[in-house]
């Protein structure tokens, strides 16, 4: 190999830890979750990602009622729901809503405040079935925390898919960019979010920016990272800031969520459904919610 080719190889991103779910609990009565961020002990190292709940996979029998979580507020960040199995219906105080199913993503910017409900979709509830998804909370920079709420439904066929070299699998770009292909999500700070499927016995290389907070969450399968460490189902691999390149080798067919974002270097004050910069702003958020300023479901 000539010198030019050698120097073009990016430095490897060091794997600094592999984490298991910190807690397992129900969100409302319809979403059994394993909490990875912040429960696994990974918190501000992953800014702008504030929370990662892995919902299911779990089989629900038919129900008369739509299980889930009723009317509740959010302020100061975005909730991103990525569905793998099952159907979820959403309705909020701005009058928007919709149903998302396998492959779809809902990117809701709560910003100054929203009240919403998240339920098993009616038909899905009536028939029963497997539910599997991820809910991610993405922080907003101070300048956008009190901006107008926004709602993006990113349906499966609008999310571009790149076939990986050598039939290694496929990568769907939800947000950010991969090899010149951009994802549909509009974000307030630089974020790359990929849904990656790797085939057993194959490997792929990803390049993500130096200085971004980067992690890989394994939903299913088993992957060896950078030729050394094995990451299994429901584990989160955290990378260091230096270097750009990672090598993922699937030992079994694997489904992974790749998260990489530019850190938001601002103080975080969080309480339940509100994430602001100061304690005073949290108090204000609670008061505004109580006073009905975040609206109600009609
Ligand atoms: Mn919510």
């Amino acid at each position: 190999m000539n010198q030019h080719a050698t120097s073009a190889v990016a430095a490897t991103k060091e794997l600094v830890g592999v984490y298991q779910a910190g807690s397992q609990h129900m969100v409302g009565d319809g979403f059994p979750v394993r909490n990875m961020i912040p429960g696994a002990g990974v918190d501000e190292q992953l800014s702008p990602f504030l929370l990662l709940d892995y919902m299911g996979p779990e089989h629900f029998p038919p129900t008369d009622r739509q299980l889930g979580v009723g009317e509740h507020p959010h302020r100061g960040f975005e909730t991103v729901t990525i569905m793998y199995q099952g159907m979820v219906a959403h309705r909020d105080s701005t009058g928007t809503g919709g149903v998302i199913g396998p492959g779809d993503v809902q990117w809701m910017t709560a910003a100054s405040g929203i009240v919403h409900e998240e339920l098993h979709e009616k038909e899905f509830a009536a028939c029963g079935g497997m539910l599997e998804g991820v809910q991610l909370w993405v922080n907003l920079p101070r300048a956008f925390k009190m901006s107008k709420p926004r709602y993006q439904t990113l349906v499966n066929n609008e999310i571009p898919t790149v076939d990986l070299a050598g039939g290694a699998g496929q990568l769907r770009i939800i947000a950010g960019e991969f090899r010149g292909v951009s994802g549909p999500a509009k974000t307030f700070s630089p974020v790359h979010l990929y849904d990656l499927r790797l085939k057993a016995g194959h490997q792929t290389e990803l390049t993500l920016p130096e200085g971004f907070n980067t992690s890989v969450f394994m939903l299913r399968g088993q992957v060896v990272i950078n030729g050394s460490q094995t990451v299994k189902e429901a584990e989160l691999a955290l990378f260091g800031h230096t270097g750009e390149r990672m090598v993922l080798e699937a030992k079994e067919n694997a489904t992974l969520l790749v998260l990489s974002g530019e850190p938001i270097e601002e103080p975080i004050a969080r309480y339940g459904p509100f994430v602001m910069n100061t304690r005073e702003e949290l108090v204000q958020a609670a008061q505004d919610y109580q006073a009905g300023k975040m609206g109600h479901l009609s």
Side-chain angles (χ1 to χ4, degrees):
M1 193 183 277
N2 68 39
Q3 186 137 22
H4 183 262
T6 306
S7 63
V9 174
T12 301
K13 252 186 200 308
E14 191 198 350
L15 178 68
V16 297
V18 177
Y19 299 83
Q20 271 121 34
S23 70
Q24 197 156 356
H25 61 272
M26 285 296 281
V27 176
D29 59 12
F31 303 108
V33 304
R34 281 176 274 183
N35 178 259
M36 306 305 304
I37 308 170
V42 188
D43 196 351
E44 296 188 16
Q45 308 97 296
L46 269 177
S47 166
F49 308 105
L50 293 162
L51 175 141
L52 193 161
D53 272 344
Y54 182 29
M55 310 186 272
E58 186 155 312
H59 184 269
F60 284 84
T63 48
D64 304 332
R65 211 165 51 75
Q66 290 172 263
L67 303 176
V69 49
E71 191 167 330
H72 64 280
H74 293 292
R75 173 181 279 181
F77 61 98
E78 305 180 284
T79 66
V80 178
T81 308
I82 304 160
M83 293 305 294
Y84 295 87
Q85 301 184 75
M87 308 280 279
V88 168
H90 164 268
R91 211 156 60 88
D92 71 43
S93 51
T94 71
T96 51
V99 171
I100 50 170
D104 300 337
V105 175
Q106 178 204 81
W107 199 294
M108 188 191 82
T109 307
S112 64
I114 210 166
V115 170
H116 74 163
E117 66 177 18
E118 298 157 276
L119 302 174
H120 294 192
E121 186 269 334
K122 206 167 179 194
E123 202 76 350
F124 173 75
C127 298
M130 287 295 291
L131 185 84
E132 183 180 23
V134 166
Q135 187 165 91
L136 200 60
W137 290 8
V138 182
N139 205 2
L140 287 171
R142 189 196 312 259
F144 299 106
K145 281 189 179 291
M146 292 300 284
S147 61
K148 201 166 159 258
R150 182 168 85 183
Y151 186 81
Q152 305 173 67
T153 301
L154 314 171
V155 300
N156 192 11
N157 63 17
E158 288 169 356
I159 298 173
T161 301
V162 171
D163 290 319
L164 300 171
Q170 294 190 315
L171 184 145
R172 299 171 72 234
I173 304 138
I174 299 167
E177 171 283 323
F178 177 76
R179 296 181 191 164
V181 182
S182 293
K186 296 188 195 86
T187 66
F188 290 85
S189 65
V191 166
H192 300 290
L193 185 62
Y194 309 145
D195 169 16
L196 172 61
R197 317 290 170 113
L198 270 183
K199 289 193 189 133
H202 287 78
Q203 67 168 52
T204 197
E205 245 184 63
L206 301 182
T207 304
L208 290 155
E210 204 159 42
F212 276 33
N213 289 329
T214 299
S215 70
V216 169
F217 176 61
M218 285 278 309
L219 286 88
R220 270 178 257 156
Q222 203 167 312
V223 160
V224 176
I225 296 185
N226 294 341
S228 55
Q229 192 142 4
T230 302
V231 182
K232 302 192 183 96
E233 190 183 298
E235 290 184 337
L236 183 89
L238 176 69
F239 293 84
H241 276 166
T242 55
E244 295 184 315
R245 176 176 163 268
M246 62 171 82
V247 180
L248 307 172
E249 184 192 351
K251 291 293 175 194
E252 300 167 4
N253 285 342
T255 301
L256 309 95
L257 188 66
V258 179
L259 310 96
S260 186
E262 186 177 76
I264 298 173
E265 313 268 3
E266 293 173 1
I268 293 175
R270 63 194 287 171
Y271 181 74
F274 309 126
V275 183
M276 303 302 289
N277 299 113
T278 68
R279 210 190 152 270
E280 291 67 34
E281 290 165 344
L282 288 179
V283 172
Q284 188 65 51
Q287 285 173 355
D288 288 352
Y289 170 57
Q290 304 278 310
K293 289 184 183 166
M294 296 182 191
H296 291 288
L297 296 179
S298 50

